[in-house]
């Protein structure tokens, strides 16, 4: 049974950095797309960034230039490096995966594409 496990969340001051990780295990996909999403209290879940095994990436406009997504293929782990964090980045961050390359999105990935989800990790940014 496949699973996605996020780690690396925590509390930081505005301007600080965190690196989230998403370990993808138990799947037999030869290629896949992993997306990062977040959900703030009282708000809908939104796409943040995505990467696939071909190395294609894209970001939501709100995080471009601050967040970087990367894939460690040897460890089947996707990282989300978050720099210059702002209070509005406070949310639960989720990773999600699907067994195909990402569909060429140029900004935030759509939730509807992904069938496998992790349980999330909390990020809190204090002003």
């Amino acid at each position: 049974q496949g699973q996605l496990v996020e780690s690396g969340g925590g509390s930081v001051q505005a301007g600080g950095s965190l690196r989230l990780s998403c370990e993808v295990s138990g799947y037999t996909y030869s290629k896949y797309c992993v997306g990062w999403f977040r959900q703030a209290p009282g708000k809908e879940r939104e796409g943040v960034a995505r990467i696939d095994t071909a190395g294609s990436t894209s970001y939501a406009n709100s995080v471009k230039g601050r967040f970087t997504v990367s894939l460690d293929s040897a460890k089947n782990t996707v990282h989300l490096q978050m720099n210059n964090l702002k209070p509005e980045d406070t949310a639960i961050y989720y990773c999600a995966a699907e067994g195909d390359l990402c569909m060429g999105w140029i900004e935030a990935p759509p939730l509807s594409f992904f069938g496998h989800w992790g349980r999330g990790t909390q990020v809190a940014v204090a002003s």
Side-chain angles (χ1 to χ4, degrees):
Q1 184 70 19
Q3 65 174 348
L4 304 170
V5 179
E6 303 95 337
S7 61
S11 299
V12 296
Q13 294 291 316
S17 298
L18 285 172
R19 188 173 87 149
L20 306 183
S21 298
C22 172
E23 183 178 358
V24 182
S25 63
Y27 298 105
T28 58
Y29 302 135
S30 61
K31 55 185 178 180
Y32 55 86
C33 173
V34 174
W36 281 100
F37 298 82
R38 66 186 181 186
Q39 188 165 17
K43 294 189 177 181
E44 294 185 353
R45 193 170 299 189
E46 63 177 4
V48 174
R50 58 87 177 172
I51 189 167
D52 64 22
T53 46
S56 174
T57 62
S58 68
Y59 300 88
N61 287 331
S62 59
V63 306
K64 280 181 181 176
R66 300 189 298 124
F67 290 13
T68 302
V69 62
S70 60
L71 170 64
D72 183 341
S73 298
K75 297 182 179 179
N76 284 331
T77 299
V78 174
H79 301 289
L80 183 68
Q81 178 67 42
M82 307 186 296
N83 297 329
N84 190 22
L85 282 161
K86 304 176 180 181
E88 52 262 43
D89 295 318
T90 295
I92 298 174
Y93 282 70
Y94 300 88
C95 66
E98 191 52 63
D100 201 349
L101 297 180
C102 300
M103 296 290 109
W105 311 299
I106 60 173
E107 294 179 352
L111 277 73
S112 59
F113 178 78
F114 297 91
H116 310 279
W117 290 82
R119 294 189 175 186
T121 185
Q122 176 72 54
V123 171
V125 184
S127 58

